[in-house]
Amino acid sequence: MQIQDLPYPDPGVPDARSGPRFLWWLFRNQLDGQLKSLAWGLLHFLSVSALPFCVGVAVQAVVDRSGEQLALAGGLLLLCCAGNALGDTFLHRTAVTNWITAAARVQQVLARKAAQLGSALTRRVAAGEVVAVSTGDVEKIGWFVEAWSRFMAAALTLVLVTIGLVVYQPALGVIVAVGLPVLAIAVLPLLPRATRRADFQREKAGRATELASDTVAGLRVLRGIGGEELFLDRYRSASQEVRHAAVRSARMWALISAIQVLMPGLLLIAVVWYGVHLARQGRVTIGELVTVYSSIMILTYPLRHFEEIAMAYSFSRPSARRAARVLALERPTNIEGSREAADLPSGDLYDPATGLLAPSGRLTAVVCGDPDAAGRLAERLGGHATQEGTSVLLGGVPLDELPLDRARTAVLVQDKDPVLLSGTLRELLDVPRSGAVDAEQALAAAQCEDVLAALSQGSLDTDDPMEVRVTERGRSLSGGQRQRLALARSLITDPEVLVLDEPTSAVDSHTEARIARGVQNLRRGRTTVVFTSSPLLLDRAERVVLVHEGKVAATGVHRELVHGEPRYRAVVTRETEEEETAPRDEAPKYPSAPKGLSELNELGELDELDELDELDELKELEEIEESA
């Protein structure tokens, strides 16, 4: 696999049982690149390690005054230098390729997992941890995969050179053969402590990343309540903890590096001392002594890769463990009963767990007093349940028995906090769709006229609002504008079933009434489920369902339920228990209800409403208020 071939057509199914198993899975999938790197690494390291032998031959040739030996030494040096240059070049090339392709494979499987789980991912794993895994952890994992082949090449080189020294000069070779394994394992007692410190550092860094992500996401709210300095102090404290942990980890790795320098130096002193003793006795020649001495000097280079692989593994193991934890998350599915359907299922949407029924082709509103429970139920209706349980049925077909792509084509869920990706508005609305709804219709139904006008006025490059860039997460827009654009994006897909979780929580009452009418008209004949407690949306719904403590407690239409079901009225009107037991003629109005016509007339605001549709909306709102 080459870099230009990325992304992978199929990154494979990762072994997410543990961090080491995940690393081993990556290594097996990179086997071709690992073997290439190993081959070029052997050429590079052996060429470097052969240089002392060439120097020894040259020195002995000068001592013996032999021109032929000197010419042979020169030829060998030239050959070694060529092998060194060639091996080093392609070792670097293959190593970087292994790093990038391994990181790309990890990112692809993480992206695929995120697509499978949807918003359920952040319900089960902290958003900061997901960010840490997909950024810094990917780099650490790629480093270990890349370093492994170079380490194996260095280890094989040490074995071959040691054998060669024993054969070339047994007296000195034995000392090297005994000393090199000691050098290789000298740092092993320190590795567990270094690994623990590295794990602790990564844990602190993950928490700091999570805090930063949450702070940035809620910056607008923090500014509104004056909490910027409070959270900034918290992040400063978290970053200082990361710094202290990094310093403690660096101290341990500095000690390991010092030992890696000290031990070869001691071996070199021992070999030189004993070699000089043997040279005085005439048992070794000057050239042999120079060869052994130079070999030990050169061997410190491949020995450094022992330290590198230890560092790479220590840093990549917690990263691999976190990646495996994310990749081990599964979408609850009935694997045994999975089926391949030629056509998308259609019909009523039914949840056996709660008893919720959304009839086909109708607008159903769901009222749930617990917003978190409403969010989980919305995910269940889309086939994205976070826990095992009875599957939701669409036309009698269990959603978790459908392939994921078919389930998502059939049912689209827009959660209460949808994300807008950066790009032009045209790109934002360029999503898979049925073709029955165009961008103009979706934007009109979502009441995005003022959003388009604001985008046009705020752009100096173009007057076409569809070509204006929307910043990351739509941060340049207000909450209501972001919500309406997200609603338009959902409407343009025109799915068989559309599930909306609080789609108008950030807009004003007048806009909310228009959106309710627009969604009702645009989705006529399609199944739509809206989770809301807004009387404006509820009054437009053809069927209203009250879910209480995880079960359907009542069904009907809004005006019937608000009069006849106290639990429904308590959720919709935000009544307290005391208010609920008070006489109906003393019951308070909606805290969030809009001004009635009489109140607007007294305030002199009625003159400003010169459009007939706005008057109709206000009359409708007043009727809803009075009916409650």
Side-chain angles (χ1 to χ4, degrees):
M1 188 70 180
Q2 299 299 318
I3 296 177
Q4 62 264 27
D5 298 327
L6 295 175
Y8 290 98
D10 180 12
V13 180
D15 187 346
R17 289 176 290 177
S18 66
R21 288 179 182 271
F22 179 64
L23 291 174
W24 174 242
W25 173 80
L26 276 177
F27 178 80
R28 287 189 288 108
N29 281 273
Q30 302 281 125
L31 188 58
D32 181 62
Q34 295 289 342
L35 292 177
K36 289 181 180 178
S37 183
L38 176 61
W40 290 115
L42 282 173
L43 176 61
H44 170 59
F45 289 125
L46 289 176
S47 298
V48 172
S49 301
L51 290 175
F53 175 75
C54 300
V55 173
V57 172
V59 170
Q60 191 61 42
V62 172
V63 173
D64 297 340
R65 298 180 181 278
S66 172
E68 293 182 359
Q69 289 185 359
L70 188 60
L72 176 63
L76 291 175
L77 279 171
L78 182 62
L79 184 62
C80 289
C81 290
N84 181 23
L86 187 65
D88 191 22
T89 299
F90 284 93
L91 172 62
H92 179 74
R93 180 186 180 91
T94 54
V96 171
T97 299
N98 288 339
W99 189 336
I100 294 177
T101 52
R105 188 184 297 274
V106 175
Q107 287 181 325
Q108 279 189 249
V109 295
L110 286 171
R112 184 174 63 184
K113 180 60 65 174
Q116 289 175 349
L117 296 177
S119 61
L121 175 62
T122 52
R123 296 179 187 271
R124 302 167 70 177
V125 181
E129 182 169 351
V130 177
V131 173
V133 170
S134 59
T135 53
D137 286 341
V138 167
E139 181 180 351
K140 299 295 188 302
I141 293 170
W143 177 28
F144 174 75
V145 173
E146 173 268 329
W148 179 255
S149 57
R150 289 190 289 114
F151 162 72
M152 290 301 299
L156 289 175
T157 300
L158 288 175
V159 173
L160 293 175
V161 171
T162 300
I163 294 174
L165 288 177
V166 172
V167 174
Y168 178 70
Q169 177 45 252
L172 296 176
V174 170
I175 298 178
V176 176
V178 173
L180 283 179
V182 174
L183 297 182
I185 65 175
V187 298
L188 289 182
L190 300 177
L191 288 181
R193 180 176 296 181
T195 301
R196 287 195 298 270
R197 292 189 179 186
D199 290 351
F200 183 73
Q201 176 193 351
R202 295 299 301 164
E203 179 183 354
K204 291 294 185 181
R207 291 179 180 176
T209 302
E210 181 179 349
L211 179 59
S213 176
D214 292 343
T215 302
V216 172
L219 188 58
R220 186 188 298 265
V221 177
L222 292 177
R223 285 176 175 171
I225 63 176
E228 292 175 90
E229 288 300 324
L230 174 62
F231 276 79
L232 183 58
D233 290 340
R234 290 182 182 178
Y235 181 73
R236 285 196 186 104
S237 177
S239 63
Q240 288 302 310
E241 290 180 2
V242 174
R243 185 179 68 85
H244 291 311
V247 170
R248 293 184 70 249
S249 179
R251 287 174 180 168
M252 184 56 64
W253 288 112
L255 178 60
I256 292 175
S257 298
I259 293 175
Q260 289 286 334
V261 174
L262 176 63
M263 297 300 290
L266 295 177
L267 177 61
L268 186 62
I269 293 173
V271 168
V272 171
W273 178 83
Y274 186 60
V276 170
H277 176 70
L278 294 179
R280 287 179 176 177
Q281 295 179 352
R283 296 170 59 184
V284 299
T285 64
I286 299 299
E288 292 174 339
L289 179 59
V290 171
T291 298
V292 175
Y293 168 81
S294 301
S295 295
I296 297 174
M297 290 288 294
I298 292 295
L299 287 179
T300 57
Y301 171 54
L303 274 174
R304 300 291 295 180
H305 289 78
F306 283 74
E307 176 193 351
E308 182 190 14
I309 196 64
M311 291 182 65
Y313 180 72
S314 297
F315 280 95
S316 66
R317 192 184 68 169
S319 298
R321 184 171 63 246
R322 278 192 293 271
R325 183 164 59 246
V326 174
L327 294 172
L329 300 175
E330 293 293 341
R331 169 179 176 253
T333 55
N334 184 2
I335 301 299
E336 295 181 358
S338 62
R339 65 181 73 185
E340 289 288 343
D343 299 319
L344 291 177
S346 60
D348 296 344
L349 184 68
Y350 177 65
D351 179 24
T354 60
L356 173 62
L357 173 66
S360 175
R362 298 175 66 183
L363 173 60
T364 302
V366 181
V367 176
C368 187
D370 183 359
D372 293 333
R376 291 191 294 269
L377 180 54
E379 293 293 335
R380 275 183 52 78
L381 294 180
H384 314 311
T386 57
Q387 298 176 351
E388 294 285 350
T390 306
S391 173
V392 171
L393 306 178
L394 177 59
V397 178
L399 284 180
D400 66 3
E401 292 184 7
L402 292 176
L404 184 62
D405 57 343
R406 292 186 177 274
R408 291 206 167 168
T409 302
V411 183
L412 173 65
V413 178
Q414 176 183 302
D415 61 22
K416 66 184 63 178
D417 187 23
V419 176
L420 301 182
L421 302 179
S422 61
T424 64
L425 183 56
R426 192 181 306 280
E427 293 171 342
L428 177 68
L429 299 178
D430 185 16
V431 293
R433 64 185 75 181
S434 67
V437 178
D438 58 31
E440 183 178 353
Q441 292 174 309
L443 290 168
Q447 300 299 311
C448 294
E449 292 85 355
D450 63 317
V451 182
L452 299 179
L455 290 174
S456 298
Q457 294 173 2
S459 175
L460 301 177
D461 301 327
T462 178
D463 293 331
D464 185 359
M466 300 298 291
E467 298 301 328
V468 177
R469 291 191 63 82
V470 177
T471 57
E472 180 187 3
R473 292 180 173 268
R475 299 190 189 282
S476 59
L477 304 173
S478 67
Q481 291 173 330
R482 288 197 301 269
Q483 199 170 55
R484 281 177 283 164
L485 286 180
L487 177 59
R489 182 179 59 186
S490 299
L491 292 173
I492 201 174
T493 61
D494 189 38
E496 180 69 26
V497 178
L498 176 61
V499 180
L500 303 172
D501 188 4
E502 295 290 353
T504 59
S505 59
V507 301
D508 60 82
S509 300
H510 302 300
T511 305
E512 188 175 32
R514 297 191 190 98
I515 291 175
R517 184 172 55 193
V519 171
Q520 183 186 41
N521 294 334
L522 189 64
R523 292 287 300 171
R524 196 177 303 279
R526 291 290 210 181
T527 306
T528 307
V529 181
V530 182
F531 286 80
T532 183
S533 59
S534 167
L536 304 176
L537 290 176
L538 293 170
D539 195 57
R540 284 281 182 180
E542 301 168 76
R543 175 184 173 88
V544 178
V545 180
L546 171 65
V547 177
H548 181 69
E549 295 182 352
K551 297 292 181 179
V552 172
T555 59
V557 295
H558 169 65
R559 302 195 185 207
E560 294 176 355
L561 292 176
V562 81
H563 286 292
E565 177 55 58
R567 291 172 297 185
Y568 177 85
R569 184 169 56 251
V571 175
V572 174
T573 64
R574 280 74 165 177
E575 288 180 347
T576 64
E577 293 184 1
E578 295 180 358
E579 291 171 336
E580 187 176 339
T581 57
R584 290 299 300 145
D585 56 358
E586 297 179 5
K589 301 292 185 181
Y590 300 113
S592 58
K595 300 173 183 177
L597 287 174
S598 58
E599 185 179 352
L600 287 173
N601 190 34
E602 291 175 3
L603 296 176
E605 297 179 12
L606 189 58
D607 296 336
E608 299 178 6
L609 303 176
D610 53 357
E611 294 186 9
L612 184 59
D613 59 341
E614 292 186 348
L615 290 173
D616 291 339
E617 289 165 13
L618 283 175
K619 291 177 181 178
E620 183 178 354
L621 299 180
E622 191 175 52
E623 290 175 2
I624 296 172
E625 179 183 352
E626 291 174 352
S627 68

